[in-house]
Structure formats: structure tokens, C-alpha cells
Amino acid sequence: MLDIRLIRDNPQAVKAALARVGDTTSVDSILELDARRRTLVGEIEAMRSERNAVSKAVPSIKDPAEKQAKISEMRALGDRLALLEKEGAEADRVFETAMLSIPNMPSEDTPDGADDSANVVAGEFGTRPEFAFQPKTHWELGESTGLIDFERGTKISGTRFYILKGELARLQRALISFMLDVHTREHGFIEVYPPFMVKEHCLYGTGQLPKFGENLYHDAEEDFWFVPTAEVPVTNMYRDEILDNATLPLVHVAYTACFRREKMSAGKDVRGIKRGHQFDKVEMVAFVRPEESSAMLMRLMESAEHILDRLGLPWRRLQICAGDLSFTAAAKYDLEVWAAGCGEWLEVSSISNFRDFQARRAGIRFRRNAGDKPEFVHTLNGSGLALPRIMIAILENYQTGDGRIRVPEALAPWMGGTSVIGPG
RNA sequence: GGAAAGGUGACCGAGUGGCCGAAGGUGCUUGCUUGGAAAGCAAGUGUAGGGCAACCUACCGGGGGUUCGAAUCCCCCCCUUUCCGCCA
């Protein structure tokens, strides 16, 4: 959520910023709603003030007739007030919903561009593997080795579900432990294991609601929503809190399964394990002082890149242009890994600086010094990393040609020394 | 799922219709004291909205109701704790 004061005081600047993400109408309409709301607030508060003053005086009025007259007067005022309050509440509700529907403003250093074709490749790292044979796709390898059971996955849960088996299931488990261990022991992040289901208000806090509910799963009978990313529960851990300045910057790392309806992308990426309704991810979530968020974005990005390097995977860094930013992000980088079998760059991490956009929604603040007014923190997050596509990259890049797959050296301690998986 | 007891400021904890934005304590900040520190003493210490200065308004789990007036009374809901049941 943007700061309404900023919009009021600098409407043209906000308008210009929002135009970069393709939003050209929000500012004018929000200013109208704000003006209307404030007019009502003024009227309502004046009436309340009068009522409070008179009510306070009522017990000391001696003359019974005069006392009764005042009470009647206040009763009438109360009736008028009730109507106005109803109107005010509705104006507030409309205003709030509109505020929650305005996207974040892009950072100054975010490049212009209308869509993903304008994203900037900001570096390519590692070496793409070369093969003396035609490399197979991961779905071919998965089936030929028996390490992925697509048929039974769809049998029990439908399309876009699969079952990892044997050494590949173990590989994913090893990857999760490896990532968590590197992030906690080498990068100094604090591990948390959050709930995979949250209350609705959490989705408002991080920005999935009210606009993107169609991508979420939720329980029909109770207020439980399946998390689409660990960002949701971990960011909301501190909702409505005033954090101690000494705890900042605070970085958590969490493993969760993620659940997404992926309604929008039906028909795309249907082969293999690239895009499912359920996938695993290790996520980094940071809470920092405003002046620290740009540096933290870099730190999170480097932490994710470190994992890719350790796994010996070829990858590239993309700076996301304004038009391709997600709703909540002010700045964003994607990391993509090269998958030799399907010959594609696969997004394995998205690192975003939300600045105070989520913090304002979720009420996450800190106090610089005792006695100071609370300020909103800046929040950031980044995948570190998404598991299925890392699995794809390992399967396809580390295939040996005889139907087997080498295990990246860095994973050896987490794989009990197993260096090759597959039949034979 | 059943029963009971509770949800008040950073924390503990008073408060059953107006004198309560809320006693008292703890914590925190500042000052005094001290060679320094602890202890002690004194003062200060919620958030948000509107005017943006004085000031006004709202908030005592959430929502609704009664009333001239509600933290205090009524209704609904949520949550927590304990016991029972069920389970991993």
C-alpha cells in the first residue's frame, strides 16, 4: 500500500511512477475518494465532539425540563450521526479497497519497459555443459529412470501433480537441507518453520489479496488459505508489531511447500515438473531499516546466487523492468538456471524489494530510539531457491548419457556420499 | 468435538454506566545521587486519523445492539488457557 499522504502531496510524481508499471488511473480516483472520505470524517467528528461535550454536561443540569431537552436534542443528533457514520464507513471501505488495489511504485533504478521482453540480462555465470550425445529432457529422464512417476501423480491428484521416487526424492530432501544449512551457517539467516496454512488477513498483508485470489487455494469451511510462498506466513509473523531497532536487520529463511492454482497459465508448461500446483521452496525474508533495503536486495541476491554456484549450475541474472514487476515490488531481480535438456532458462529465484509497501499493509514497524515515532520497516524476499527447477537443471545438466545422473559435489554430505543416481 | 475460565497499554494487573486513554507495578528514557556502578529519589513514557498550531476524534480481542453517554450492560463471532475426548 502506498502512503496516502505521499499521493496527496505529490500526485504528479506518483502518477508518473505508476504510469511506468502501466497504471494510469489510480491517482485521480484515489484522490477523489480521499477527499470525500475526509469531508465525512470532519462532519462526523464535529458531531461526536458536540455530543461528547453535551453528554458530559448532562448530569450537572439542574432544571429537569432543560435536561430533558438536551437529552432529546442529543437523541436526534445521534440519529443523524448514525446515518452519517454509515456513509462514512462505506466511504472508508471503498477508499481502503482502492488503496489496497494500487500497485507499488518502481524504484528509480528499475529500467523502463512494458513487459518481460524489456527485462535486462545483467550477467551470465557458470558454464553450460556440453554433451557428446543428445541430452534428454528431465521428463524423459524421469520416466526412463523411474525416478518420477507422472502417471500415478495425476492418478491421485490430477494434472500437474507428480511423485518423486527413490534417490530423486532423496535428492530434493538433500537440496532443501543443503540450502537451509548454507543460508543459516554461512549467510547468518535465522531459520523458521512456519504454518503452510494462514488466515485470510495474512494474504492482504503481503499483497496477494484482494487482487489475486484466483491463484490461491483455500478451505471452503474455515478461514484457512494455503500459502503460495513462505513469504506470506514469514512476513506476517511480525504483523502489527513494533520491532526493536536492535533486532534489525532481520533475515529469516524458511522451507515450505507452496500451493498455487496457476489458473492463468493453464496449458503452458504442461510437461515435466516445471510448473505444478504444489512445489517446494526455500525462501529468504528480510526486515530492514528503510535505508538498508537496497543493500539487502543485493545481499539476498548474492545469497541465492551462492547456492547456484555451489551446485555448479549455469545461471543468469535478470533485472526486471517496470512493466514486468509484480504488484508489490519496487525492484526485482530474477535468477534463471540453464536446463540443457529442454534448452530453456528456468526461473529459480525471484528477489524483490517491497520497501514499505507490505509493511504498511501488515503494520510492521520499528522504533529507531526510545521515544521516537514508529516507522515502517522495509521488507524483502527472495527464493533461495525453488526446488523443482533446480531438480530439472540437475537432471538435465548432470546426465551422463547412460541414463544416470551425477550428484553435484556440493551435495555429497547431504546425500550420504551417493555420487550418481539412476538405474545400474 | 464437550466443559470451564479468560482476552485491558511494551509486560503484569486494577477497573461493572459519566470523574477512564484508562489506577498501581515492571520495563524503558532523562535528570539527581556516586570516584564509577547497583540501589534510591524525581520527571517523562500508547497508537492512529482529521486540522496539522492550539485542539478534536477513535481505539480496553472483533462485529452488532441498548443509552444523552459504554472498557463497563445485552447479542453474535474469534482467539487463548485448563480438563475430557480424538489423534501424528
Side-chain angles (χ1 to χ4, degrees):
Chain A
M1 188 157 58
L2 301 179
D3 183 355
I4 183 61
R5 289 206 182 87
L6 180 73
I7 303 176
R8 261 183 229 154
D9 297 344
N10 307 287
Q12 293 312 320
V14 174
K15 212 181 252 188
L18 288 180
R20 297 182 64 209
V21 299
D23 182 309
T24 53
T25 59
S26 289
V27 169
D28 289 332
S29 62
I30 205 74
L31 285 174
E32 277 175 39
L33 294 173
D34 182 47
R36 168 166 168 69
R37 177 185 138 269
R38 280 197 289 169
T39 303
L40 287 167
V41 164
E43 292 173 18
I44 288 167
E45 292 191 351
M47 287 171 81
R48 281 181 183 160
S49 181
E50 187 190 349
R51 185 186 64 183
N52 287 348
V54 173
S55 291
K56 203 167 184 175
V58 159
S60 57
I61 297 174
K62 296 284 188 292
D63 176 21
E66 188 190 341
K67 189 169 187 169
Q68 199 48 51
K70 282 292 179 195
I71 288 176
S72 304
E73 198 181 307
M74 285 308 103
R75 187 176 295 150
L77 184 139
D79 290 343
R80 277 183 285 134
L81 178 58
L83 288 174
L84 207 57
E85 277 176 335
K86 203 170 176 185
E87 205 178 325
E90 177 62 14
D92 272 348
R93 200 191 59 73
V94 171
F95 171 75
E96 275 300 316
T97 304
M99 282 298 284
L100 289 170
S101 303
I102 300 176
N104 203 354
M105 299 186 293
S107 68
E108 304 69 34
D109 58 339
T110 292
D112 282 322
D115 53 44
D116 60 1
S117 65
N119 292 339
V120 178
V121 177
E124 195 174 322
F125 306 85
T127 323
R128 298 198 210 178
E130 290 180 23
F131 300 99
F133 54 91
Q134 179 63 36
K136 290 183 176 174
T137 62
H138 72 280
W139 58 86
E140 292 167 333
L141 285 164
E143 274 176 356
S144 64
T145 56
L147 291 170
I148 308 176
D149 189 338
F150 291 105
E151 279 187 27
R152 291 198 178 91
T154 54
K155 181 167 92 177
I156 60 175
S157 298
T159 179
R160 292 184 187 278
F161 286 94
Y162 52 86
I163 295 165
L164 302 178
K165 281 174 68 181
E167 297 280 49
L168 191 63
R170 186 187 193 189
L171 182 76
Q172 172 161 289
R173 182 158 48 86
L175 279 163
I176 293 166
S177 294
F178 162 72
M179 291 174 188
L180 288 171
D181 285 347
V182 171
H183 286 313
T184 53
R185 294 178 191 175
E186 298 181 32
H187 302 154
F189 304 157
I190 299 166
E191 183 174 352
V192 290
Y193 176 82
F196 291 9
M197 293 191 286
V198 295
K199 300 287 190 186
E200 184 182 28
H201 64 248
C202 293
L203 281 317
Y204 281 91
T206 34
Q208 285 78 18
L209 290 178
K211 289 190 84 172
F212 308 105
E214 72 274 11
N215 291 325
L216 302 167
Y217 290 106
H218 64 97
D219 185 90
E221 284 156 355
E222 293 185 78
D223 181 23
F224 283 124
W225 295 66
F226 286 46
V227 300
T229 160
E231 162 192 351
V232 178
V234 178
T235 305
N236 279 283
M237 280 171 63
Y238 302 106
R239 80 175 287 115
D240 295 328
E241 290 192 30
I242 299 173
L243 298 174
D244 187 341
N245 192 26
T247 65
L248 301 178
L250 174 63
V251 187
H252 282 310
V253 58
Y255 155 77
T256 69
C258 304
F259 305 93
R260 298 183 183 179
R261 296 184 69 185
E262 299 287 3
K263 214 174 166 185
M264 314 305 285
S265 54
K268 267 180 66 185
D269 302 325
V270 287
R271 305 209 68 176
I273 63 172
K274 180 176 166 187
R275 193 182 294 275
H277 289 306
Q278 171 190 319
F279 66 97
D280 282 12
K281 183 157 60 65
V282 169
E283 183 81 6
M284 304 172 283
V285 180
F287 305 83
V288 302
R289 299 175 192 91
E291 65 272 20
E292 298 165 335
S293 68
S294 294
M296 181 57 79
L297 183 67
M298 294 301 121
R299 184 176 164 200
L300 294 183
M301 188 162 69
E302 284 158 15
S303 299
E305 291 170 355
H306 184 209
I307 300 285
L308 289 165
D309 285 337
R310 288 278 292 272
L311 292 173
L313 296 170
W315 58 274
R316 66 179 188 178
R317 181 194 300 148
L318 251 51
Q319 185 176 16
I320 304 304
C321 76
D324 197 35
L325 284 177
S326 50
F327 178 74
T328 44
K332 176 170 156 180
Y333 288 87
D334 278 359
L335 302 180
E336 296 185 332
V337 70
W338 176 254
C342 53
E344 274 187 80
W345 289 102
L346 303 175
E347 181 188 329
V348 289
S349 180
S350 191
I351 305 105
S352 303
N353 184 359
F354 307 105
R355 296 192 167 167
D356 61 4
F357 191 83
Q358 291 182 327
R360 181 170 284 108
R361 289 172 162 248
I364 307 171
R365 296 175 293 173
F366 78 106
R367 208 188 297 276
R368 246 172 237 281
N369 298 295
D372 287 354
K373 278 189 80 71
E375 299 171 53
F376 289 112
V377 300
H378 278 195
T379 61
L380 306 93
N381 66 48
S383 340
L385 307 155
L387 272 301
R389 292 171 188 178
I390 290 297
M391 303 270 283
I392 292 174
I394 290 174
L395 286 168
E396 297 189 359
N397 295 348
Y398 280 94
Q399 59 184 298
T400 57
D402 61 357
R404 308 210 295 168
I405 298 100
R406 285 192 294 120
V407 172
E409 257 177 59
L411 282 183
W414 287 269
M415 282 294 282
T418 300
S419 60
V420 181
I421 62 173

